[in-house]
Amino acid sequence: MGKKYRVFFFAVLLFFQSQGRAQERNTTPVLSVTVTTAEGIPLEGAVVDLRKKDSTHAVQTSITNKKGLSVFYMGPLPGYSLHIYSLGYETADIVLTEAQLRTKQINLVLKPQATELADVRVQTKKPFVQQLQGKTIVNVDASVTNSGTTILEVLEKSPGVMVDRNGGVSLQGKAGVMILIDDKPTYLAGSDLNNFLSGMSSSQVETIELITSPSAKYDASGNAGIINIKTKKNKQVGFNGTLSSAFAQGRYPKTNNSLVLNYRNGRINGFATISNNFNKGFTDIYALRRYFNNTGAVLSMLDQPTLFLQRNISTTIKTGLDFYASAKTTLGIVLTGVAVDRKGGSDAAANWKQGNGITDSTIRTLGESSNRFRNGGITLNAKHSISKQQDISVDVDVLKYDITNKQAFDSRLITGSGPNEGSRGTLPSTISIFTARADHVLQIGKEAKLESGYKLSSINTDNIAAYELFDGTNWKEDLNKSNHFLYKENIHALYSSFEKKSGRISFQAGIRYENTGYQAHQLGNSRQKDSAFSRNYSGIFPSGYFSYQADSSNSFTFTAGRRIDRPAFQKLNPYVIIINKYTLERGNPYFLPQYSWNLELAHQYRQLLTTTISYSIIKDYFSQLFLNEGNDILVYTNGNVGRMTNLGISVAVQASPFGWWSLSGQVLYNHKELKGYRNVNYNSSVSQFNFSMNNQLKAGKKYVFEVSGFYTGQARNDLQELLSPTGQLSLGVARPVWQKKGTLKLSVRDIFFTQAMEGNTDFPGAQEYFILRRDTRVVNLSLTYRFGKPLKIQRRNTGAAKDEMDRVGNG
């Protein structure tokens, strides 16, 4: 770390120390709050706010765990109150007395709502963002402008989250995020992940968890941490459900629809979620590529305007059954299915120009593409309480993917001389995944817990790329691009984690061991040799945190952890994807994992202000690589380029200046330095800035208005690519309808059409400027209707296949 960084850290630490001394000190132990149902069942996920007398603003917020327990560090503060709310239950407000503070333990019972759902609207609205130990929670429905949007659009405006033009997601300025949906991966990577999240409605999502320092019980994958998208689950007694529908109009129409159903009776709980989404849109790309000689003079230029039109139809189904065999044992089964069909067409021009700008020739290329993605999976889970202190759980997942991509291009010379050309390809893939996991939890006293577990994952992939060329008369097999790639991988993992709270101090220390072995075989043909390679490697990944509650308002937390990112399965396949006549994309079978150390120091002042300093070191850093293979053809691939360091500073604010106005916002600064070797030594750095904000304005008893948006300054995730600033501003309004059984929302996203992706890419002997625009300026109208009687039950387990599915590509 450089001298300027050491001075900076020293100054910040002095500031924190001075702030801590300025606060009133006390030695009062932990205040524990246990929340249960009327039947004595611990209520997990209830939100407990600690407030000052006659205030609606939370001093601290805690969410109950599986035991229904939440913990606060506070001084002797009679007159403070607890505000407890959980969906489907009556809200409780408890004023703390001196007698309760002396016992240091409060037991609360929440009663289920007995009236029709029309009367059920939690009076205290959740804030858009909540800061909790180890995670940031985004409450999706708390933002009016999230109505009618997709998950990807919600992520783009979430604090500290950035999405690049290839669908790559960054968290707090760092790439390499493991994205989960209900604790399970999203199955896709890169542009396929982008397309999948773009087809999923935000109306299906309850919260988004942003976890920058996961504990040892999570898979070690994800350099930047985890984004866990938690979908809505109707867990009420009897037959209940939620129906959501949205229509959006940009340049083209879009619809997002979902239905959540639940039936519970006695020991049986059945559930189903069905969603269907239609999205028609465009991608308008302009690229100007310059080729240079050895002196730096421009030899030639390639001017490339391209218009893509695409249509995406996706259907997802998730259904299952929970069986409460006894008070100690729960069995479950979950079935999932995903069907995505994408079709598109492109019209591109390649204008070759001399160094002085005079056009030599123009080639027009018409393209067609289709993608068929099918996924089916079954999850079996069981949980048993051995005693009041011990729990054991087992999860087994079996998953199968069937993916087929087809593409065809027809290139015709408009000016100049030369033959017309055509190419087409079929790229089928099958991926099979089996995972099994066992976890044990031991409660040691009231304030300590030991977790341990084992996980096995087995992956088999079979990928074919079959290309043909048209010579003007006949179609011929293109053996230079065609291949057949087989891949097998096994990962064994063991972990243990110890967590303890004592007075004002809480800490967690964990360690995870992972062993990875894989075998790969590229079948040859008459043009390419048969080849095979294998690798076996192991790693130890420690993690933990140390937290100190200085007083009732201030807490300090230090976290550290080592993590790994394995390449997505499809990126190891050396097959070729044709982007256009002069640009190809190719996998890299020698792509190695990257390893990172992440350090973080955070100070939280109530729920009002959170300040965080982070530092990361990544070895064998993942980066897109851009190769010049001659004949004016450039190739995109991925590989390891060296090392990256990232210094980050973030300030998050959540306030309510007036009773009718609440706001949340985050400012994030990152300084990155990338060092690597690609034919020559690269040494690049960038200081980047990100800002996001959300304003909620109440007008009377029915209307809520919102002004929200984000701005991202100059940024760099890849060694050879620098991105230009971008951002957007959105407006929205919401009101209840049908006696509060429904909610109607109207919003306008990206009002000024400023959310473009623009930048410059350095190739060996060439440079390319690009700008990309999508159908982002959209008017959304959505309606949500709720029916049934509320009674919250135990959260369902969602399975073991986390890291493996995140590395699956969709072609």
Side-chain angles (χ1 to χ4, degrees), residues 7-187:
V7 173
F8 175 77
F9 271 105
F10 181 68
V12 173
L13 286 172
L14 286 179
F15 171 76
F16 281 166
Q17 292 173 2
S18 65
Q19 291 295 307
R21 295 191 196 101
Q23 303 296 325
E24 180 184 355
R25 301 290 179 170
N26 60 74
T27 58
T28 302
V30 173
L31 174 68
S32 299
V33 180
T34 301
V35 183
T36 63
T37 66
E39 295 78 18
I41 300 174
L43 193 56
E44 180 186 1
V47 179
V48 185
D49 285 343
L50 177 66
R51 299 177 174 182
K52 284 187 175 181
K53 185 177 181 180
D54 300 326
S55 173
T56 60
H57 183 73
V59 174
Q60 295 180 45
T61 296
S62 179
I63 294 181
T64 57
N65 60 19
K66 294 181 180 180
K67 303 292 185 181
L69 179 67
S70 62
V71 178
F72 292 93
Y73 296 85
M74 56 174 293
L77 302 171
Y80 269 49
S81 66
L82 294 175
H83 180 84
I84 305 95
Y85 55 94
S86 182
L87 183 63
Y89 292 83
E90 294 181 355
T91 301
D93 289 284
I94 306 296
V95 177
L96 296 176
T97 64
E98 292 185 3
Q100 288 174 318
L101 290 171
R102 283 195 299 270
T103 64
K104 305 168 189 174
Q105 173 68 49
I106 299 176
N107 298 313
L108 297 173
V109 176
L110 291 190
K111 298 179 180 179
Q113 284 281 1
T115 58
E116 293 298 318
L117 195 59
D119 299 323
V120 180
R121 294 291 289 172
V122 178
Q123 295 180 354
T124 302
K125 184 179 180 180
K126 292 182 182 180
F128 178 55
V129 175
Q130 291 175 286
Q131 302 288 342
L132 300 176
Q133 172 61 51
K135 68 177 68 174
T136 298
I137 295 180
V138 178
N139 295 300
V140 176
D141 279 347
S143 174
V144 177
T145 56
N146 284 340
S147 64
T149 61
T150 67
I151 297 302
L152 186 67
E153 292 167 344
V154 175
L155 285 176
E156 287 178 329
K157 57 184 290 189
S158 297
V161 179
M162 288 167 274
V163 181
D164 64 25
R165 64 170 174 152
N166 300 307
V169 179
S170 299
L171 179 60
Q172 300 296 338
K174 296 181 288 185
V177 182
M178 182 167 65
I179 296 183
L180 312 177
I181 294 181
D182 289 330
D183 302 315
K184 303 187 76 171
T186 50
Y187 318 145

Side-chain angles (χ1 to χ4, degrees), residues 319-341:
T319 185
L321 189 71
D322 294 325
F323 175 60
Y324 304 97
S326 68
K328 293 185 176 182
T329 304
T330 302
L331 306 175
I333 181 172
V334 179
L335 304 175
T336 58
V338 179
V340 181
D341 291 285

Side-chain angles (χ1 to χ4, degrees), residues 416-672:
S417 59
N420 295 333
E421 296 179 354
S423 64
R424 64 188 183 190
T426 301
L427 296 83
S429 300
T430 59
I431 302 173
S432 301
I433 296 178
F434 172 83
T435 68
R437 186 184 72 196
D439 300 281
H440 177 261
V441 179
L442 174 63
Q443 193 73 31
I444 305 173
K446 293 183 178 181
E447 299 177 350
K449 179 174 65 175
L450 177 65
E451 295 180 282
S452 303
Y454 167 78
K455 180 181 177 182
L456 163 69
S457 62
S458 178
I459 303 100
N460 290 272
T461 73
D462 188 340
N463 305 273
I464 296 174
Y467 283 101
E468 293 179 307
L469 287 174
F470 185 68
D471 60 5
T473 305
N474 300 306
W475 286 98
K476 297 180 180 180
E477 188 177 4
D478 187 353
L479 296 177
N480 291 321
K481 295 186 179 71
S482 299
N483 80 5
H484 188 180
F485 183 70
L486 303 174
Y487 180 86
K488 295 181 179 180
E489 178 185 271
N490 290 296
I491 300 176
H492 299 267
L494 288 167
Y495 80 90
S496 185
S497 177
F498 179 76
E499 185 175 19
K500 183 176 176 58
K501 298 177 182 178
S502 177
R504 299 190 218 166
I505 294 174
S506 62
F507 67 89
Q508 182 185 74
I511 190 166
R512 187 178 183 92
Y513 168 81
E514 293 188 352
N515 172 263
T516 304
Y518 67 78
Q519 295 178 334
H521 184 194
Q522 182 179 354
L523 281 69
N525 56 41
S526 59
R527 295 281 185 89
Q528 301 185 60
K529 293 182 179 181
D530 187 278
S531 63
F533 55 94
S534 62
R535 190 164 184 251
N536 189 289
Y537 58 95
S538 300
I540 296 177
F541 305 95
S543 63
Y545 74 85
F546 180 89
S547 183
Y548 175 68
Q549 189 77 32
D551 50 45
S552 61
S553 299
N554 293 275
S555 64
F556 301 86
T557 303
F558 175 77
T559 60
R562 184 175 187 253
R563 300 190 65 77
I564 184 175
D565 275 312
R566 297 179 182 89
F569 304 132
Q570 300 290 52
K571 294 185 183 296
L572 292 169
N573 185 353
Y575 75 130
V576 172
I577 296 178
I578 300 173
I579 299 176
N580 58 46
K581 180 176 173 61
Y582 298 102
T583 310
L584 306 176
E585 183 177 357
R586 185 172 61 210
N588 178 5
Y590 306 105
F591 202 0
L592 300 176
Q594 69 177 10
Y595 295 87
S596 63
W597 270 102
N598 300 316
L599 308 176
E600 187 176 283
L601 176 65
H603 166 251
Q604 184 170 352
Y605 177 71
R606 302 182 178 178
Q607 280 286 315
L608 179 66
L609 178 68
T610 303
T611 307
T612 305
I613 301 173
S614 62
Y615 186 76
S616 299
I617 302 176
I618 305 173
K619 293 184 178 180
D620 293 326
Y621 180 67
F622 285 0
S623 180
Q624 263 199 329
L625 304 177
F626 309 97
L627 311 176
N628 189 339
E629 295 202 342
N631 298 321
D632 299 318
I633 294 177
L634 298 181
V635 176
Y636 289 74
T637 187
N638 288 269
N640 309 96
V641 297
R643 190 181 80 157
M644 188 194 80
T645 59
N646 185 342
L647 171 68
I649 305 171
S650 69
V651 179
V653 177
Q654 183 177 311
S656 183
F658 304 98
W660 50 269
W661 177 23
S662 61
L663 66 91
S664 61
Q666 176 178 278
V667 178
L668 172 66
Y669 168 84
N670 290 98
H671 180 79
K672 299 180 181 180

Side-chain angles (χ1 to χ4, degrees), residues 168-279:
V169 179
S170 299
L171 179 60
Q172 300 296 338
K174 296 181 288 185
V177 182
M178 182 167 65
I179 296 183
L180 312 177
I181 294 181
D182 289 330
D183 302 315
K184 303 187 76 171
T186 50
Y187 318 145
L188 311 172
S191 61
D192 295 308
L193 173 62
N194 184 303
N195 292 330
F196 180 76
L197 295 178
S198 295
M200 186 176 178
S201 172
S202 62
S203 63
Q204 298 173 251
V205 178
E206 183 76 23
T207 61
I208 298 175
E209 298 177 347
L210 311 177
I211 309 173
T212 55
S213 299
S215 67
K217 71 178 181 180
Y218 290 99
D219 291 345
S221 292
N223 154 63
I226 291 172
I227 295 178
N228 192 13
I229 301 169
K230 308 287 280 187
T231 59
K232 294 176 181 176
K233 299 178 179 66
N234 196 336
K235 311 173 195 177
Q236 301 164 351
V237 74
F239 180 74
N240 306 274
T242 302
L243 176 64
S244 299
S245 183
F247 175 80
Q249 182 68 51
R251 185 181 298 181
Y252 298 99
K254 311 161 204 315
T255 62
N256 293 300
N257 307 284
S258 65
L259 176 64
V260 179
L261 299 173
N262 192 89
Y263 177 76
R264 180 178 179 182
N265 187 5
R267 293 185 175 184
I268 299 295
N269 182 65
F271 53 90
T273 300
I274 305 170
S275 68
N276 179 265
N277 304 295
F278 170 82
N279 189 311

